[in-house]
Amino acid sequence: MNEYAVRVAAQLRQRYAHEPEYLQSVQTWLEMIDPALDDPRYEKLDLLTRMVEPDRMFMFLVPWVDDKGVAHTNHGYRVQFNSAIGPYKGGLRFHPGVTPSVVKFLGFEQTYKNALTGLPIGGAAGGADFDPRGKSNREIMRFCQSFMNALYRYIGSDTDVPAGDIGVGAREIGFLYGQYKRLMSKAESSALTGKGLTYGGSKIRQEAAGFGTVYFLARMLEHQKDPIEGKTIAVSGFGNMTWGVCRKATELGAKVVTLSGPDGYIYDPSGVSTQEKFDFLLEMRAKGQDRVSLYADRFGVPFFPGKKPWEVAVDVVIPCATQNELDVEDAVHILANDVRYYVEGSNMPATTEALKLLRLSPKILTAGAKASGSGGVAVSALEMAQNSIRYNWTPAEVDQKLRDIMSSIYDASAAAAEEYGLGYDLIAGNDIAAFKKISEAMIAQGL
Ligand code: GLU
């Protein structure tokens, strides 16, 4: 590895020894962009340090009262990572596992994910260690309002534009936006994205994360001259991204045969491929129990408690749940089952060792979340554009733009991989193309 990169990595390990997810995402990225580091300007300007550390990070307490009158105090975060290309932009995650390390890894990945959308957005992330499970609607509203009471001073349509992530969907964005509007006394719609369709949201935003991932997969299949029709897909999770993947895969003639939750996974050999099943995913989420076994009860398919879906023999694997959900044992299963495509939906779904196994195996083609998972944020940027021109595109128009954006991300990744002699390594190709774009923007804007 490049000497300067080795020093930057060592410094980071020393300074943030207690932040494993953040170190993991930076370390992997440094390895991926290594072939492109042969430029003396980078060290001269200490560019890598400025790229792997966030510009700033806010931490705040989020006090709220539950329905029984009991007080709770959660920890809220917003990390503004990089604004070389545009205003800070990224999701908010409400999950008990949210820590400064998780928020920083998400913000880091978001910066490089956003860069290749071709739209003017920088990178950010945020959230809170709040567990939405089993909370009433009123509790969620009060929590969101308290969260915004702290966050509002740091965000804005030209500053930092939050959106959803795990635990933050259209309902939460509605409560957050309502409070922002009250505090600011103005309807600044593009200060948040993922809004409802009645107050400035974009068509296809909910679908975008999953649709984008399948569009990316479709380009990989096209490259292999391998038809998408009839392909079986294993996915994890049953949230927003999974829902979109099931729908678009069905439309293109493929079928998703697994779903998972913290309780285990289900196997549906006929596919999660009817309107009734798509709607049931939304129902399961609205119930707020976080259990996928409900699907097995409803449709009479097998449920495997405590297991992960990666043991099922399929053509394509798309992790859609959360970071490090796929370990070495899972990667070994995937390779033993002769799975041919590994396409990341969720951010950093594989552990370092698992990713290495998959990437280096000639048996399987791999795509990283910073490319294949960028559909959601791409439509977020389209939502900002629509808000500023006070206009709404039709679903077909947004879908076509999303498709074009995913295609250009694919093209840029494949081209960079080829340019640096990396063959068809779409993960490294994407990281290199995004790195080049952001570094040029940073250099142009001075220290
Ligand atoms: N968390 C989402 C993502 O991964 C949303 C980001 C956004 O729309 O700003 O891209």
Side-chain angles (χ1 to χ4, degrees):
M1 215 164 95
N2 175 284
E3 256 177 58
Y4 166 51
V6 170
R7 257 183 287 124
V8 169
Q11 268 169 24
L12 214 67
R13 274 197 303 275
Q14 206 171 45
R15 202 169 295 144
Y16 303 107
H18 52 293
E19 299 190 0
E21 294 86 0
Y22 170 51
L23 291 177
Q24 180 188 340
S25 68
V26 170
Q27 181 66 36
T28 304
W29 179 81
L30 284 171
E31 284 165 26
M32 298 293 164
I33 63 162
D34 191 53
L37 287 180
D38 193 17
D39 183 332
R41 291 178 307 166
Y42 300 154
E43 183 166 5
K44 212 165 144 214
L45 299 169
D46 198 17
L47 204 77
L48 285 182
T49 305
R50 293 161 53 210
M51 292 177 93
V52 302
E53 293 214 52
D55 286 347
R56 66 191 69 81
M57 177 162 182
F58 304 105
M59 296 177 162
F60 42 88
L61 289 182
V62 188
W64 60 284
V65 178
D66 70 19
D67 289 345
K68 296 192 189 93
V70 179
H72 299 268
T73 311
N74 286 99
H75 300 86
Y77 307 95
R78 185 71 183 169
V79 51
Q80 298 182 336
F81 220 100
N82 187 296
S83 65
I85 295 185
Y88 301 107
K89 178 89 196 83
L92 296 171
R93 177 175 292 190
F94 291 169
H95 186 276
V98 166
T99 60
S101 169
V102 166
V103 177
K104 277 165 74 177
F105 118 71
L106 287 172
F108 176 72
E109 300 256 318
Q110 196 78 47
T111 302
Y112 297 89
K113 179 192 261 193
N114 294 3
L116 289 194
T117 60
L119 299 163
I121 41 176
D129 58 355
F130 170 74
D131 190 353
R133 254 189 306 190
K135 300 291 187 294
S136 73
N137 204 49
R138 278 192 308 178
E139 288 172 330
I140 297 282
M141 182 173 80
R142 279 197 297 273
F143 181 81
C144 289
Q145 291 174 340
S146 180
F147 187 86
M148 187 52 82
N149 287 343
L151 184 69
Y152 82 98
R153 65 196 83 231
Y154 310 124
I155 64 171
S157 50
D158 294 318
T159 321
D160 179 359
V161 182
D165 198 86
I166 294 171
V168 178
R171 173 181 61 165
E172 290 73 17
I173 293 292
F175 294 147
L176 290 163
Y177 178 65
Q179 189 68 356
Y180 182 74
K181 211 171 58 169
R182 253 170 239 124
L183 292 163
M184 301 295 287
S185 298
K186 61 174 176 179
E188 185 194 346
S189 20
S190 56
L192 285 154
T193 62
K195 297 181 294 296
L197 294 179
T198 52
Y199 59 95
S202 173
K203 308 272 173 28
I204 310 291
R205 175 60 189 87
Q206 312 264 44
E207 290 83 349
F211 281 19
T213 308
V214 178
Y215 287 145
F216 198 94
L217 165 69
R219 287 298 310 273
M220 293 171 75
L221 287 159
E222 191 186 298
H223 175 265
Q224 294 305 105
K225 300 191 175 45
D226 189 3
I228 190 163
E229 290 83 15
K231 290 279 177 294
T232 53
I233 307 176
V235 311
S236 52
F238 61 87
N240 178 259
M241 175 159 277
T242 301
W243 171 76
V245 167
C246 292
R247 285 183 48 190
K248 188 52 78 178
T250 302
E251 199 186 307
L252 300 183
K255 70 179 175 188
V256 170
V257 294
T258 67
L259 301 169
S260 75
D263 53 336
Y265 80 91
I266 64 95
Y267 174 61
D268 184 348
S270 61
V272 186
S273 47
T274 61
Q275 191 60 44
E276 195 189 354
K277 289 174 178 176
F278 304 149
D279 291 343
F280 192 69
L281 296 191
L282 301 181
E283 250 179 72
M284 277 168 33
R285 201 155 21 118
K287 279 200 173 91
Q289 296 176 5
D290 212 7
R291 274 174 39 221
V292 79
S293 60
L294 298 173
Y295 184 97
D297 300 341
R298 173 80 162 74
F299 296 105
V301 299
F303 168 62
F304 301 87
K307 297 259 188 173
K308 293 197 263 179
W310 318 129
E311 58 189 30
V312 178
V314 286
D315 302 307
V316 183
V317 154
I318 309 182
C320 295
T322 193
Q323 71 271 7
N324 291 326
E325 54 171 305
L326 201 150
D327 59 22
V328 168
E329 200 186 320
D330 301 319
V332 168
H333 270 133
I334 290 171
L335 293 174
N337 283 333
D338 289 325
V339 175
R340 276 140 65 207
Y341 302 90
Y342 167 77
V343 180
E344 295 184 343
S346 47
N347 292 305
M348 199 169 75
T351 61
T352 307
E353 290 310 312
L355 182 65
K356 242 176 222 150
L357 269 181
L358 295 171
R359 260 189 76 235
L360 300 180
S361 164
K363 285 170 59 179
I364 188 165
L365 299 181
T366 52
K370 289 187 222 102
S372 44
S374 41
V377 75
V379 173
S380 273
L382 296 178
E383 182 175 336
M384 292 164 71
Q386 293 173 87
N387 292 155
S388 54
I389 57 172
R390 301 283 194 268
Y391 187 74
N392 290 317
W393 291 312
T394 63
E397 285 170 324
V398 177
D399 197 26
Q400 187 55 49
K401 289 183 202 307
L402 170 63
R403 204 183 188 124
D404 293 345
I405 291 169
M406 296 312 297
S407 238
S408 68
I409 296 172
Y410 171 88
D411 288 335
S413 306
E418 201 172 303
E419 187 188 336
Y420 285 87
L422 302 167
Y424 193 62
D425 187 344
L426 294 174
I427 301 187
N430 178 81
D431 279 344
I432 289 173
F435 163 74
K436 299 277 272 189
K437 181 164 179 188
I438 296 175
S439 59
E440 286 309 322
M442 288 175 75
I443 291 168
Q445 291 170 57
L447 282 165

